Structure formats: C-alpha cells, structure tokens
Amino acid sequence: MNSMNHLLDDPMVLRELIMDHYQYPHHHGLTDDPSYRHVHMASDSCIDDITVQSKIVDGIVEDVRFDGVACTISTSSTSMMTDLMIGKTKEQAEAIVDEYFRMIDHKEYDPDVLEEAVAMKNVYKQANRIKCATIGWKAMKQMLEEGEGHE
Amino acid sequence: MIDIPTVRKAFPIFQNQPELVYLDSAATSLKPQCVIDAVSGFYTDHTSNVHRGDYAIAAENDALYDGTRKVVASFIHCDPREVIFTHNATASLNQAAYGLRKFLKPGDVVLTTKAEHASNLLPWFAMQKECGIKVEYAPLDSQGRLTEEAFLSAMHDKVRIVALAQVTNVTGAEQPIKAIAKAAHAYGAYVVCDGAQSVPHMPVDVRDLDVDFLAFSAHKMCGPGGTGVLYGKKELLTQMDPLLYGGDMNARFSSDGTVILKEAPVRFEAGTPAIEGVIGMRAAIEFLQKIGMDNIHAYEKELRAYFLQRMQELNNIEIYNPDNAYGPVAFNAKGVFSQDAAGYLASRNIAVRSGNHCAKILHEVIGTDSTIRASLYFYNTKEEIDRCVAACSDISLENAIGIFF
C-alpha cells in the first residue's frame, strides 16, 4: 500500500479533505463561455441547488466548473469530482463516475480510482445524504452521456 | 395543567425510541395508542366501505365515520354539514381554490403573503395562469408577521380572496385572522385560512374568526395520515364545484350525461375515503379535547419561551423568529449549512427539519434560504429541550462532517 492510500484510510484526513473542499471548493464559479454544457440540478432536492458546467472536446474533459447553494457533502463531493474529471478521456471519466456510484451504493470499488473522493465512502450510512453526495456526479454523468458539443 | 408523564405514556413511540427527542411536530405529530387502536379497529373489527353496506359492521362503521363530522364540528365550532373530509390540508386548500374559481374574473386579486406554505400559494399560482387573476403579497416584518395595518395597506377593491395561514409553518407567526377577516369581508372578499399549524395547537373557533374556509390535516394533531378537513361556510359550499367526481358524491346520473350531485359535504368526497383515517382523526380530536386545547396552548407557549431563552444563550446560534410567542424556533448554527447541522443533531438523536420547509419565497422576508426548524407539541418536555440545546451548542463544521466517520 502506498503512502497516499494509507493516508486516505485515516478518518481525520478524510474529514479534513471534506472541510477543505467545502470551504475552498475547486473549480468553483461558472463561466459564460458558450462552449460549455451545463446541467442545473435543482429538482432532485429542495435544498441543494447546484449547476455543473463541462467542456468536452475531442473526447477529452477539458474543464469542469460548478456553483450553487449546497451542504458540505454536496459541495465537497462535487469539488472532488471536478478534480477527478479534468484531463481525463470521456471513457476514463465515465469509469470513474461508475466507480464512485459503486462506492456510494456500498458495493465493491477500487479506492485508487477515486483518490480523495473516497472521503465519501461512509455516506451510505446516512441514506438521506446519498442525494447530497451524488448531485454533482449525476450532473457530470448526464453530460458525459450527452457527448460533445453544445446544442 | 397537563400531566406530561401521563400524556407521554399514551404515545408508544416514547417506549420504542427511548433516546429520541422529537422536535419535528410541525412536519407531523406523534400518535397516541388510542388513535392507533381506532385505525386498527377498522381493519380488525369493522372493515367495510362507507354509505354502501346493509350489514351490521357497515352500520357501525358508518356511525363512526359520519359521527366524526359532529366531533370535528364541536372542535372548530361549526355545523357538521360544513365539514368536508379530504386527504390533507393541501387537498382542502386545492378544493377551496378550485371551488372559488367561479367567483373570480380576470383581473381579480388573491392577496396572500410570502410566508405561506406551497399548498396555499401554488393553487393560486395555477389560477393566475389559467384564470387571469393576480396574486399579490401583503407586507410582512422580518419575522414573517402580518399586522392588521400592513394587511389594510395592501387591501383594495380588486382583492376577491385573502389566503392566509393562521400560524405560519416556519416562523410560527400568528396572524390576526379575526381582524383581517372582518376587514376583508368589508371589501366583499372571501377568506381562505390554512389552519394546518394552528388547529393542532390552540382553540380555533371558525364562527368567531369568521373565516370562509379553514383547512387542516389530521396527521399534525395526533391523527393518522391521509386525512384532512375543509371547513366551508354552507352558503359557499352549495355554490361550489367539486374538484373530484365519482362514487358516493352523486345522487344519480343518466346516459345523456345528466348528473345530479349530492349536497355538501358528501358532494366533495368522491370515491372511497380514508375511512380508518377519519375514524382515527375522531380519536385524535377526542384525545386533544380531553387534555384541553387551552392547556395545550398554554403549555406550548411556556415550553417555547424556555426553549428560546436557552437557545439565545448560545453564541453559535442565530434565531430568525425570537419575538413570536409560540410555534417553532427557526435557527441556524453560524457558518454551518442547515442540513449539515440537522445531520449532526440527528447523530445526537434530536429530530428536527432543515431546509426551506415548503415556504420557498419566505427567504425574501427572513433573509436566509434555509433554516433548521425545531417544533414543539404538548408531549415535549424541558428535559428534551435541554438535550437539544446541549447538542446545538456543539454544532460546528467539524462535528457536522464528523458524523460520517
């Protein structure tokens, strides 16, 4: 086991990661650039209201951004998602999203693929928060399925 | 005076969930054994449809069901023929709105406030689209309260309907409905009152308030789910169209499409109702009447004052409705999103609700998108409040995230 994985087994570290991503979310704030697709996730829950944008060119996820009003779990899980997606091919990105949903569903998963997002591994214990941990990821999944370009 | 230990013995959930502090009664109340027995009695002793059977248990069932109208009438002080059984306060408000359509013409105004629950706004929004009426808002103070003066400042000749909660569901503001109804009637407007958060907690007399409609749900007053009441003045009910058509509400119909409807209230009760719900609601009202609505109101006021005072001692808590005399306490822990804070309270066995509580334009009044709502009922105790306050004092971002590890 490498040192990175070892650290990601430590609850204190995982807690700090969620705090960090919540207080200083990555790729936060939306762009007006028309080459981005966006998904507004407001109908799934009456509390969280998140918009995720992505730019996918020639099969590569070039950028992902998000903004909105949301709880710690929604914000930090979406922030972690943006880190994992950017620079990946569409196929790699889809594989990571699938792996994440396996973890959230409390199935077998590969923690190496999910990196910091393993901080969400215990969310399944609070059934009402699964929505929070998946809101941004669902938006990303939808954009990956829709493919490239902007209609 | 209420004998709280005895009252609590009537609620089996306190034995089954000894660690639970339930402060979410504005969402739904806990149920006493007598209500559970009344509901299960329908399944075990007198299962039958209403107004259809010619056999003994059907007669017993009909007597319990129809007799509930008298019990409700004595509870809110009206004629039993003015009591319509519905599925909940939402269904009641939708029926009232639908029935009032024929009294409205394009350009007419429905006057309400931004503190209303979705169920007393969306039916009017729909009519705004479909009937060309206009929804207007009377001004509130920062704690969601409407004064008679503020109401009058917003009132004018085009207002045909005034739609207001007697007690609002987030800040618990008690609106001066009696004075408002008097003023509204002077303009020839009808008053539709949402009693979902008032009828369970205080004596409500529809004759004294002189509202034209009052809606409430059984499940918020110790009764079963799926059952509510619409009170409507007889002279209005006779002119109103039902929202639903079907069995029991018609007297006869023929192949050419002629339909003769029954009179109110049955006219508004198409299809098999929640019979066990209605019978359970009767048990709930009788249970509340035995304790006394005055006693319930006085005790909750005292409990709320204690809760507020203890919460105000906490530096990490911001309260949005400190000046309301009773009802829920709406608050946030500074720097912690409401759902995260509610999650932490849940980890300490404190049940509260977080979010916007279906009052999605209230943020324009109280200045925050979401709150934690801790709501009381007569079965709550000061010890429970102490436990809640102790847990609230520990709400922090670290602790809220800590529940996942």
Side-chain angles (χ1 to χ4, degrees):
Chain A
M1 190 183 277
N2 65 37
S3 59
M4 170 78 178
N5 277 346
H6 186 65
L7 273 176
L8 291 179
D9 279 336
D10 181 348
M12 285 301 288
V13 172
L14 297 179
R15 203 162 83 163
E16 285 300 316
L17 274 173
I18 295 177
M19 291 265 282
D20 263 12
H21 278 272
Y22 176 64
Q23 290 177 308
Y24 311 102
H26 303 177
H27 312 104
H28 197 245
L30 301 178
T31 170
D32 297 333
D33 185 337
S35 64
Y36 283 71
R37 284 177 168 280
H38 78 273
V39 174
H40 181 205
M41 300 292 281
S43 57
D44 216 30
S45 131
C46 83
I47 301 184
D48 297 313
D49 186 338
I50 277 189
T51 298
V52 182
Q53 291 180 316
S54 68
K55 185 177 183 179
I56 305 174
V57 180
D58 297 334
I60 306 287
V61 181
E62 287 195 350
D63 195 17
V64 183
R65 311 198 59 78
F66 81 105
D67 206 348
V69 177
C71 69
T72 50
I73 299 299
S74 304
T75 304
S76 56
S77 64
T78 306
S79 172
M80 290 166 179
M81 180 273 290
T82 64
D83 284 349
L84 282 164
M85 294 293 116
I86 295 170
K88 300 292 194 309
T89 66
K90 202 169 153 289
E91 290 71 28
Q92 288 169 327
E94 282 173 335
I96 294 167
V97 171
D98 288 345
E99 208 61 43
Y100 183 77
F101 281 106
R102 270 197 287 281
M103 177 183 77
I104 294 295
D105 292 340
H106 199 211
K107 292 178 185 152
E108 285 281 315
Y109 68 97
D110 180 356
D112 291 342
V113 174
L114 295 179
E115 301 178 19
E116 291 181 356
V118 298
M120 299 293 152
K121 67 183 176 186
N122 290 327
V123 172
Y124 74 91
K125 290 179 184 170
Q126 317 271 340
N128 63 321
R129 302 304 291 278
I130 288 174
K131 265 186 194 168
C132 312
T134 53
I135 185 170
W137 289 77
K138 279 184 190 157
M140 191 66 219
K141 188 177 164 70
Q142 193 181 322
M143 288 186 283
L144 287 166
E145 282 166 1
E146 282 168 1
E148 289 180 29
H150 186 85
E151 283 81 42
Chain B
M1 275 291 287
I2 305 180
D3 178 4
I4 301 302
T6 305
V7 160
R8 284 172 70 88
K9 281 203 189 92
F11 291 83
I13 198 167
F14 292 127
Q15 272 94 60
N16 299 336
Q17 306 284 352
E19 292 304 312
L20 176 72
V21 173
Y22 188 78
L23 300 179
D24 198 18
S25 293
T28 197
S29 71
L30 303 177
K31 318 298 175 196
Q33 190 63 48
C34 60
V35 169
I36 299 165
D37 290 343
V39 171
S40 68
F42 169 77
Y43 294 110
T44 55
D45 293 8
H46 49 87
T47 310
S48 49
N49 214 321
V50 281
H51 309 151
R52 277 107 159 144
D54 297 309
Y55 40 93
I57 59 168
E60 183 193 343
N61 196 48
D62 281 356
L64 280 167
Y65 179 86
D66 289 322
T68 304
R69 266 186 240 282
K70 268 192 197 159
V71 175
V72 173
S74 81
F75 189 54
I76 60 169
H77 306 276
C78 67
D79 187 300
R81 287 167 296 180
E82 296 174 314
V83 174
I84 299 166
F85 296 138
T86 66
H87 295 303
N88 44 41
T90 300
S92 301
L93 290 164
N94 273 272
Q95 171 63 70
Y98 185 83
L100 284 167
R101 276 176 186 225
K102 58 160 60 165
F103 298 93
L104 297 173
K105 57 182 188 307
D108 284 349
V109 168
V110 174
L111 184 60
T112 181
T113 78
K114 291 180 178 173
E116 294 298 315
H117 187 280
S119 57
N120 201 18
L121 288 173
L122 301 197
W124 308 114
F125 287 179
M127 285 167 68
Q128 193 164 233
K129 261 195 178 155
E130 290 159 23
C131 315
I133 59 145
K134 203 169 158 241
V135 173
E136 292 181 359
Y137 305 99
L140 299 170
D141 73 9
S142 64
Q143 299 183 39
R145 291 176 298 182
L146 176 64
T147 62
E148 194 184 341
E149 294 70 37
F151 171 77
L152 284 172
S153 75
M155 193 67 198
H156 56 83
D157 287 337
K158 289 222 165 300
V159 176
R160 297 288 292 143
I161 293 168
V162 173
L164 290 174
Q166 188 175 11
V167 172
T168 64
N169 78 312
V170 180
T171 69
E174 186 180 349
Q175 316 296 28
I177 293 295
K178 186 177 174 176
I180 285 171
K182 195 173 173 200
H185 289 149
Y187 278 88
Y190 301 111
V191 178
V192 177
C193 184
D194 174 2
Q197 302 291 349
S198 60
V199 173
H201 301 280
M202 56 171 66
V204 172
D205 182 331
V206 293
R207 290 271 187 269
D208 179 55
L209 292 174
D210 198 25
V211 292
D212 298 288
F213 298 92
L214 178 78
F216 58 96
S217 290
H219 75 91
K220 290 195 203 299
M221 43 190 265
C222 299
T227 303
V229 167
L230 173 64
Y231 155 79
K233 279 185 183 164
K234 219 181 312 168
E235 60 269 30
L236 291 171
L237 293 184
T238 53
Q239 300 175 65
M240 276 170 38
D241 291 327
L243 189 54
L244 300 175
Y245 290 84
D248 206 20
M249 53 83 77
N250 72 83
R252 50 187 52 79
F253 56 89
S254 48
S255 54
D256 67 356
T258 313
V259 183
I260 299 170
L261 299 180
K262 288 185 183 166
E263 295 298 323
V266 179
R267 170 189 295 198
F268 300 98
E269 297 173 2
T272 298
I275 303 164
E276 65 276 45
V278 168
I279 293 170
M281 173 167 68
R282 174 191 184 135
I285 292 173
E286 288 168 346
F287 178 77
L288 294 176
Q289 284 176 322
K290 215 181 278 173
I291 298 167
M293 293 310 294
D294 282 314
N295 290 331
I296 287 172
H297 191 45
Y299 176 68
E300 283 180 28
K301 250 180 151 163
E302 179 195 322
L303 205 56
R304 207 267 187 188
Y306 177 72
F307 190 15
L308 180 71
Q309 178 219 321
R310 293 288 331 270
M311 290 292 274
Q312 282 176 325
E313 291 163 8
L314 304 181
N315 293 324
N316 65 328
I317 297 294
E318 184 175 2
I319 298 166
Y320 299 96
N321 57 349
D323 298 330
N324 286 331
Y326 105 118
V329 174
F331 65 97
N332 271 318
K334 290 170 192 165
V336 184
F337 194 72
S338 66
Q339 196 181 10
D340 293 313
Y344 176 69
L345 293 178
S347 76
R348 303 269 297 258
N349 288 311
I350 316 284
V352 295
R353 183 164 168 191
S354 68
N356 49 37
H357 320 290
C358 300
K360 298 193 187 196
I361 51 177
L362 179 67
H363 64 91
E364 295 175 28
V365 178
I366 64 172
T368 181
D369 266 330
S370 79
T371 55
I372 301 167
R373 180 182 70 179
S375 52
L376 307 171
Y377 211 2
F378 60 89
Y379 41 63
N380 289 122
T381 64
K382 286 190 177 169
E383 291 71 34
E384 288 180 319
I385 284 171
D386 289 340
R387 274 186 58 196
C388 176
V389 173
C392 284
S393 74
D394 293 334
I395 299 174
S396 65
L397 201 51
E398 288 87 341
N399 285 341
I401 296 169
I403 66 168
F404 294 99
F405 299 100

